[in-house]
Amino acid sequence: MIRDFLFFTTEALISIRRSGIMMFISIATITVSLIVFGIFLLLSANISNLTTYFAAKLEIRAYLKDSTRPDEILDLKTRFEAIPSVRKVEFIDKNTAWEEFKKNYPKIELNTLISDNPLPNAFRIILSDSAKLTTVANHLKGFESVEDVGDMGAIADRITAFSEYTRIAGIILVSLLTFATLLIIVNTIRLTVIARQDEITIMQLVGATTSFIRWPFIIEGLIIGVIGSVFSIVFLIFGYSFFVMRFQEKIPFFPLVYSHFTLNIIYLGIFIVGTTLGVLGAYLSVSRTIKSNY
Amino acid sequence: MIRVKNVRKIYPNGFVALDGIDVHISRNEFVYLVGQSGAGKSTLLSMMYKAEIPTSGDIYIDNIALSNIDANQVPYLRRSIGVIFQDYKLLPRRTVYENVAFALRVMHFSRSRIRRQVTQVLELVGLQQKMHHYPSELSGGEQQRICIARAIVNNPPILLADEPTGSLDPDTSWEIMQLLSKINARQTTVIVATHNKSIVDDIRKRVIAVENGRVIRDEQLGLYNP
Ligand SMILES: Nc1ncnc2c1ncn2[C@@H]1O[C@H](COP(=O)(O)OP(=O)(O)O)[C@@H](O)[C@H]1O
Ligand SMILES: [Mg+2]
């Protein structure tokens, strides 16, 4: 088995050396496709990061009717907390709010204008999922003691829609790229198959099985895939850290993705996609080209 | 050993290459398949190792109908049939040794067994001195010897030769035929398609004559012409 593997690998390397330019084009294509693929992955990781970041900042205010009794307020808090996607519920006493307001806007001589506290008691409700903002807000409106609900629904909807659009556009782009890359690999390997047609005919003549004939080409595809993946990953690693550096100079606290875990998963994904494309392309190509000879 | 039963071959373009062939060849026989160019000799041979499939009729090897052998099993059929051609079909970038070893590698033989069998067979065909040469460095007759070595290196029971002397001068042709006779004597059924009259008349064997896709004569120790 190891002997066969060495034989197949040698055959693959000989073939790669012989079909230099085509192999170069093939590796370049897979590299470029994977880079675009990686940019898309990094972009969507950042958008999703951003959405979660904003979700944490998004809050709903539920203003209570003045008639609400303190025991009812306590009861409401537990009931609000039980609503799905609600992460945190915080009571804001009207007096505290009033003091804060006055502190924030000291220029306005409020006391001379308004003597009574005009603010209602309120709850600040923080969500775990920004997409649920409108749903939760509507839900809150249904409560008897809730006078009014202030939400940022419009912003949340836009963020969600934006991340959804980029996701769809990305999927379309990546599918097209994958298809194009596969096509190019299939054709590259086909050329090497044709270049070795005599050899294949002889192999078939002396009783080589199709899988034996196929292996060197599969390994060739694997090598193309691995080289392309490594090139694109190296490019992305340097490119992304350069981008992060530049971006931080401009907007220092912007929530970009830094987590090594997330980034490594993205790079691993690119590697898997690249090698799979190489192997699959070779397999398809050889299967289509060889069969006719029996 | 080989039984051809009512085989017809019509090529996709409608040409009738074989028109009802019935032949029986016994184990260890030596047979000439003679006839004009275009008579159907190559077509008949290529159906024996399943490079072509009869339009109707069937071929049996050791009582196994080739129509029952599916694509996955064809490689194993080929391992029991050695084939050589007029145009050699050698790998130009591999040495004599590698060209022959190639056949055994395909069959997953161990390295030591490959070395032993390749050395032995190169000795048999008289090329042991040239095993590290490339085919282009050898004469036509020597190249055909490599092919013979490759075809018999795993001792198949059948050897098919399609115009083996077609590109060779008379003396070399004669040597190659001597070699095929020697292989036949080592328990191998040999079928030689040829239109080389002097060979057939010199080295007398069974002659099956084909014309327009039909067997017109089948005679022991026959001559090229009746
Ligand atoms: N693949 C093919 N398609 C169509 N006709 C073919 C094909 N192969 C051979 N033939 C025709 O079949 C006839 C027999 O060919 P062949 O068996 O090669 O004859 P031989 O070997 O006796 O010279 C020839 O007339 C040839 O032109
Ligand atoms: Mg012929």
Side-chain angles (χ1 to χ4, degrees):
Chain A
M1 202 52 236
I2 290 170
R3 203 159 28 82
D4 282 344
F5 178 75
L6 285 177
F7 175 69
F8 295 143
T9 309
T10 323
E11 294 296 295
L13 290 174
I14 291 172
S15 173
I16 285 176
R17 214 183 51 210
R18 282 185 203 161
S19 50
I21 291 173
M22 206 46 218
M23 208 51 67
F24 174 80
I25 292 173
S26 212
I27 290 173
T29 319
I30 197 167
T31 304
V32 171
S33 303
L34 289 173
I35 286 173
V36 176
F37 181 56
I39 289 174
F40 162 70
L41 286 182
L42 288 169
L43 193 68
S44 51
N46 272 296
I47 288 171
S48 128
N49 195 43
L50 211 58
T51 335
T52 353
Y53 178 81
F54 278 124
K57 304 241 165 227
L58 287 173
E59 53 174 53
I60 305 177
R61 293 241 176 172
Y63 301 103
L64 302 181
K65 287 178 179 160
D66 253 355
S67 56
T68 318
R69 294 191 314 272
D71 61 315
E72 285 175 325
I73 291 173
L74 226 65
D75 179 48
L76 277 175
K77 185 168 193 291
T78 30
R79 284 168 69 188
F80 286 173
E81 278 166 347
I83 299 171
S85 320
V86 168
R87 193 157 62 96
K88 206 166 129 202
V89 178
E90 198 181 308
F91 180 65
I92 303 161
D93 174 69
K94 59 191 259 184
N95 297 323
T96 322
W98 182 229
E99 289 309 316
E100 204 152 293
F101 188 85
K102 285 195 286 192
K103 208 163 63 199
N104 285 345
Y105 301 96
K107 295 258 167 65
I108 311 170
E109 302 275 318
L110 283 167
N111 280 329
T112 60
L113 297 170
I114 313 155
S115 51
D116 264 0
N117 177 359
L119 297 178
N121 281 325
F123 275 110
R124 175 166 47 210
I125 294 142
I126 295 169
L127 302 184
S128 54
D129 180 2
S130 65
K132 293 284 169 4
L133 207 92
T134 317
T135 324
V136 175
N138 287 334
H139 191 88
L140 291 169
K141 279 175 194 156
F143 282 89
E144 179 71 32
S145 325
V146 174
E147 172 92 72
D148 194 12
V149 173
D151 67 62
M152 305 184 192
I155 302 171
D157 286 350
R158 252 184 249 169
I159 292 177
T160 317
F162 178 63
S163 68
E164 190 62 16
Y165 289 146
T166 47
R167 209 171 58 87
I168 292 169
I171 288 170
I172 294 171
L173 183 70
V174 166
S175 316
L176 287 175
L177 272 173
T178 308
F179 186 71
T181 311
L182 197 61
L183 219 67
I184 287 173
I185 294 172
V186 165
N187 281 307
T188 308
I189 302 282
R190 207 218 312 279
L191 287 184
T192 77
V193 172
I194 291 168
R196 302 180 70 183
Q197 189 57 62
D198 289 350
E199 202 159 329
I200 292 172
T201 308
I202 294 168
M203 285 173 110
Q204 289 179 321
L205 197 66
V206 296
T209 55
T210 307
S211 78
F212 187 92
I213 296 171
R214 196 185 276 142
W215 270 112
F217 298 105
I218 300 281
I219 291 175
E220 206 174 312
L222 181 74
I223 293 172
I224 296 177
V226 168
I227 295 178
S229 310
V230 170
F231 280 174
S232 59
I233 290 169
V234 168
F235 180 90
L236 286 167
I237 288 175
F238 284 106
Y240 189 64
S241 45
F242 180 76
F243 167 80
V244 166
M245 212 170 68
R246 273 321 196 54
F247 204 90
Q248 277 180 330
E249 284 171 7
K250 302 238 156 60
I251 313 172
F253 295 105
F254 197 82
L256 290 171
V257 173
Y258 308 111
S259 140
H260 280 297
F261 181 73
T262 313
L263 294 177
N264 285 343
I265 284 192
I266 290 176
Y267 298 141
L268 182 69
I270 291 170
F271 186 80
I272 290 171
V273 169
T275 46
T276 308
L277 279 179
V279 169
L280 185 68
Y283 184 88
L284 292 176
S285 177
V286 181
S287 302
R288 274 179 35 194
T289 320
I290 285 188
K291 250 194 188 130
S292 55
N293 291 305
Y294 278 133
Chain B
M1 161 128 259
I2 302 173
R3 189 182 295 275
V4 182
K5 261 195 175 161
N6 196 23
V7 163
R8 280 169 59 85
K9 176 66 186 180
I10 304 170
Y11 279 112
N13 63 2
F15 187 86
V16 183
L18 294 180
D19 192 12
I21 300 266
D22 279 287
V23 166
H24 178 236
I25 294 163
S26 310
R27 191 174 295 278
N28 302 334
E29 250 192 302
F30 191 116
V31 179
Y32 287 121
L33 203 56
V34 304
Q36 293 289 310
S37 183
K41 308 181 292 293
S42 299
T43 303
L44 183 56
L45 287 185
S46 61
M47 280 190 291
M48 290 179 184
Y49 59 96
K50 222 170 169 179
E52 291 287 353
I53 294 165
T55 310
S56 66
D58 210 341
I59 294 177
Y60 299 80
I61 292 180
D62 263 348
N63 291 319
I64 297 165
L66 295 193
S67 59
N68 286 335
I69 293 184
D70 64 33
N72 294 329
Q73 298 168 310
V74 168
Y76 303 97
L77 169 74
R78 304 253 170 108
R79 293 176 194 185
S80 60
I81 302 176
V83 191
I84 62 171
F85 300 92
Q86 175 173 359
D87 61 353
Y88 317 132
K89 299 194 199 297
L90 292 165
L91 297 170
R93 293 179 213 245
R94 289 170 200 266
T95 62
V96 171
Y97 179 90
E98 286 166 346
N99 263 284
V100 178
F102 194 73
L104 295 182
R105 193 117 65 163
V106 156
M107 297 177 224
H108 307 280
F109 278 42
S110 72
R111 189 186 287 269
S112 59
R113 195 157 162 216
I114 291 179
R115 191 176 312 125
R116 193 171 62 237
Q117 284 191 218
V118 173
T119 316
Q120 259 173 27
V121 80
L122 287 178
E123 222 162 281
L124 177 76
V125 302
L127 283 179
Q128 66 274 37
Q129 306 299 332
K130 304 212 166 166
M131 62 171 147
H132 299 302
H133 287 62
Y134 286 88
S136 58
E137 299 165 353
L138 272 61
S139 72
E142 287 169 327
Q143 291 189 43
Q144 191 59 286
R145 284 168 191 273
I146 310 174
C147 295
I148 293 170
R150 183 180 65 195
I152 63 162
V153 66
N154 64 321
N155 300 308
I158 299 170
L159 176 62
L160 306 179
D162 193 352
E163 312 272 5
T165 60
S167 323
L168 304 174
D169 60 67
D171 285 351
T172 316
S173 297
W174 204 82
E175 285 167 22
I176 290 294
M177 292 314 296
Q178 289 301 324
L179 181 56
L180 293 181
S181 294
K182 191 159 117 193
I183 290 161
N184 172 241
R186 295 174 9 134
Q187 321 279 303
T188 307
T189 309
V190 177
I191 305 177
V192 181
T194 184
H195 57 252
N196 188 327
K197 182 176 183 305
S198 56
I199 291 279
V200 175
D201 292 346
D202 274 3
I203 309 171
R204 301 280 290 273
K205 304 280 183 184
R206 177 180 170 189
V207 173
I208 298 173
V210 182
E211 197 178 291
N212 296 327
R214 289 168 181 277
V215 174
I216 53 163
R217 183 162 55 97
D218 185 349
E219 106 188 91
Q220 295 297 334
L221 303 179
L223 290 166
Y224 191 88
N225 291 314

